């Protein structure tokens, strides 16, 4: 799972820049997007990459202009993908984990400058690592999932405490703040802090402070158990037929990648985020401002969100993956526009996302 999560971010490319979009700013306007062209792009990509199932959502100027499912949610059951089919979103979860941490900071229950030692003093150099360092991937903790498959260890259930004991007590890979290195371990620690401070499981806190507020009725932390339509993840080698992927054991995804959702729910989240419905302006700036390392270089990464200002408009973008599924969420704040792609095949979606974004 989470090696895929790390790789999904890197496939997007390096992020450089600073998001300076203010709440309430008048959105730029663009010609209406051609939905027939989007449909053609999607169908061509599915055929070329042999994607089992794909769900696509496009928002332009605050309105969902395209929401469509393609292919199969389950090959065995012959269940088609619909706009309401729920997919795992992998590392797109990270911006939600940072958001609830920032909400707790707004409540003055924690500070993002707090040291990890305040909550977990036995972790490596806990006095030198701030909570914001965790969310911005500059803490130096070793990533617990650097592989591109579910190894034997990850087939078994695990707790966040066990992950931290195993991976956050090792020597740091670098001095905090001197390098950027994607690490799911960082978010395991941040999620554990959030749970300790709030006194609630992360999933319950997300439902209360984000999902309900935004109106995300087809979103859950961990696979839903209420009969919602969900996908089976698939993997394939070379030209072999897709086979069901071995899922991670319970607990491995967690605060780093356990959310399941739909494109329309994620588009509602994107709009709520950029219009100030969830976070204060100061917290939004923390989420979307690229971290500067101690030598002044930009990481191109905020708190759980990539920041790219090299094109015609600033983009906030993050990929994600768990075993057998991938996700891509790209937001153009100034246009109040976004593209969400969710697939139940281990296929890079950056090319398709970029092609659709270009039409916005």
């Amino acid at each position: 799972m989470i090696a895929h999560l790390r790789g999904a971010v890197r496939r997007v490319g390096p992020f450089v820049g600073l998001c300076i979009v203010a709440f309430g700013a008048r959105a730029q306007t663009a010609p209406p997007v051609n939905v027939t062209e989007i449909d053609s792009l999607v169908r061509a990509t599915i055929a070329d990459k042999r994607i089992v199932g794909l769900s696509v959502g496009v928002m332009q100027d605050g309105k969902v202009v395209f929401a469509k499912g393609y292919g199969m949610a389950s090959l065995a059951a012959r269940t088609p993908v619909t706009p309401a089919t729920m997919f795992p979103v992998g590392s797109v979860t990270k911006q939600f984990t940072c958001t609830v941490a920032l909400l707790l900071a707004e409540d003055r229950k924690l500070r993002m400058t707090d040291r990890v030692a305040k909550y977990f003093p036995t972790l490596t150099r806990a006095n030198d690592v701030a909570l914001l360092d965790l969310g911005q991937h500059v803490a130096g903790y070793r990533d617990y999932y650097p592989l591109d498959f579910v190894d034997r260890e990850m087939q078994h259930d695990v707790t966040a405490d066990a992950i931290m004991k195993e991976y956050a007590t090792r020597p740091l890979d670098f001095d905090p703040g001197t390098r950027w290195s994607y690490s799911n371990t960082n978010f395991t620690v941040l999620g554990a802090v959030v749970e300790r401070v709030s006194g609630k499981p992360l999933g319950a806190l997300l439902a209360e402070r984000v999902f309900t507020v935004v109106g995300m009725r087809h979103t859950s932390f961990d696979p839903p158990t209420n009969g919602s339509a969900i996908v089976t993840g698939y993997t394939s080698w070379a030209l072999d037929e897709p086979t069901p992927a071995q899922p991670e054991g319970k607990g491995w995804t967690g605060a780093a990648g356990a959310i399941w959702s739909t494109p329309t729910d994620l588009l509602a989240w994107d709009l709520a985020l950029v219009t100030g419905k969830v976070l204060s302006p100061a917290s939004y700036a923390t989420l979307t401002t690229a971290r500067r390392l101690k030598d002044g270089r930009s990481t191109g990464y905020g708190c759980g969100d990539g920041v790219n200002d090299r094109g015609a408009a600033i983009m906030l973008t993050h990929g994600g993956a768990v075993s057998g599924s991938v996700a891509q969420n790209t937001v153009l704040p100034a246009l109040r526009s976004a593209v969400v792609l969710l697939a139940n095949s281990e296929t890079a979606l950056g090319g398709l996302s970029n092609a659709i974004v270009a039409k916005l």
Side-chain angles (χ1 to χ4, degrees):
M1 152 227 98
I2 312 239
H4 287 288
L5 298 186
R6 180 183 64 178
V9 170
R10 289 179 177 172
R11 281 196 294 268
V12 175
F15 304 110
V16 181
L18 174 68
C19 185
I20 54 174
V21 178
F23 295 142
R26 185 182 181 88
Q28 300 175 30
T29 57
V33 69
N34 187 320
V35 296
T36 302
E37 290 182 357
I38 291 177
D39 183 68
S40 296
L41 278 171
V42 172
R43 292 182 184 278
T45 301
I46 290 173
D48 179 56
K49 297 184 178 294
R50 301 171 67 235
I51 296 173
V52 175
L54 179 67
S55 193
V56 181
V58 180
M59 177 174 66
Q60 186 174 36
D61 194 20
K63 298 178 181 179
V64 176
V65 295
F66 189 88
K68 191 171 182 178
Y70 300 81
M72 292 292 157
S74 168
L75 291 174
R78 304 304 299 171
T79 308
V81 174
T82 74
T85 303
M86 295 173 65
F87 289 71
V89 305
S91 272
V92 177
T93 300
K94 289 180 170 65
Q95 58 198 250
F96 289 87
T97 300
C98 277
T99 292
V100 290
L102 289 164
L103 287 171
L104 291 173
E106 290 180 14
D107 296 340
R108 299 186 178 181
K109 293 183 177 179
L110 60 77
R111 295 180 300 174
M112 296 303 285
T113 55
D114 285 346
R115 301 296 155 173
V116 170
K118 182 175 180 179
Y119 308 98
F120 297 103
T122 62
L123 301 188
T124 302
R125 294 184 60 181
N127 280 311
D128 299 325
V129 179
L131 300 187
L132 190 57
D133 294 338
L134 299 171
Q136 295 179 326
H137 292 305
V138 298
Y141 288 120
R142 183 78 52 87
D143 190 359
Y144 66 78
Y145 198 163
L147 306 174
D148 286 330
F149 56 89
V150 177
D151 64 7
R152 184 174 300 175
E153 178 187 22
M154 291 190 167
Q155 294 175 14
H156 304 287
D157 294 351
V158 73
T159 64
D161 285 341
I163 292 174
M164 291 191 293
K165 183 177 180 180
E166 173 65 21
Y167 292 93
T169 58
R170 300 181 181 188
L172 297 185
D173 287 343
F174 49 84
D175 288 335
T178 63
R179 283 176 48 194
W180 184 92
S181 184
Y182 198 87
S183 173
N184 296 284
T185 306
N186 292 334
F187 276 81
T188 299
V189 178
L190 184 59
V193 170
V194 165
E195 290 190 331
R196 177 167 292 191
V197 169
S198 67
K200 299 178 181 179
L202 180 57
L205 188 63
L206 284 166
E208 174 189 332
R209 300 296 299 269
V210 179
F211 302 159
T212 299
V213 172
V214 176
M216 301 172 73
R217 291 181 290 274
H218 296 284
T219 301
S220 72
F221 188 79
D222 282 333
T225 57
N226 59 0
S228 298
I230 63 174
V231 297
T232 298
Y234 291 91
T235 188
S236 61
W237 297 96
L239 297 178
D240 289 347
E241 291 300 312
T243 58
Q246 171 68 48
E248 300 85 358
K250 185 175 178 60
W252 284 105
T253 54
I259 289 177
W260 288 62
S261 191
T262 65
T264 49
D265 267 19
L266 288 179
L267 291 174
W269 154 252
D270 292 336
L271 183 62
L273 193 63
V274 302
T275 56
K277 186 175 182 178
V278 179
L279 292 172
S280 70
S283 294
Y284 177 79
T286 299
L287 192 82
T288 59
T289 298
R291 172 67 178 260
R292 293 270 173 191
L293 299 176
K294 289 185 177 180
D295 64 5
R297 288 176 298 154
S298 172
T299 64
Y301 196 91
C303 189
D305 219 349
V307 185
N308 187 337
D309 69 350
R310 295 176 301 168
I314 291 172
M315 291 193 300
L316 307 176
T317 184
H318 212 294
V322 294
S323 181
S325 297
V326 294
Q328 188 71 43
N329 182 32
T330 301
V331 188
L332 299 153
L335 299 177
R336 296 197 306 164
S337 300
V339 175
V340 177
L341 305 174
L342 305 176
N344 60 342
S345 302
E346 295 177 334
T347 304
L349 297 176
L352 177 59
S353 178
N354 291 340
I356 297 175
V357 166
K359 295 184 177 301
L360 294 174

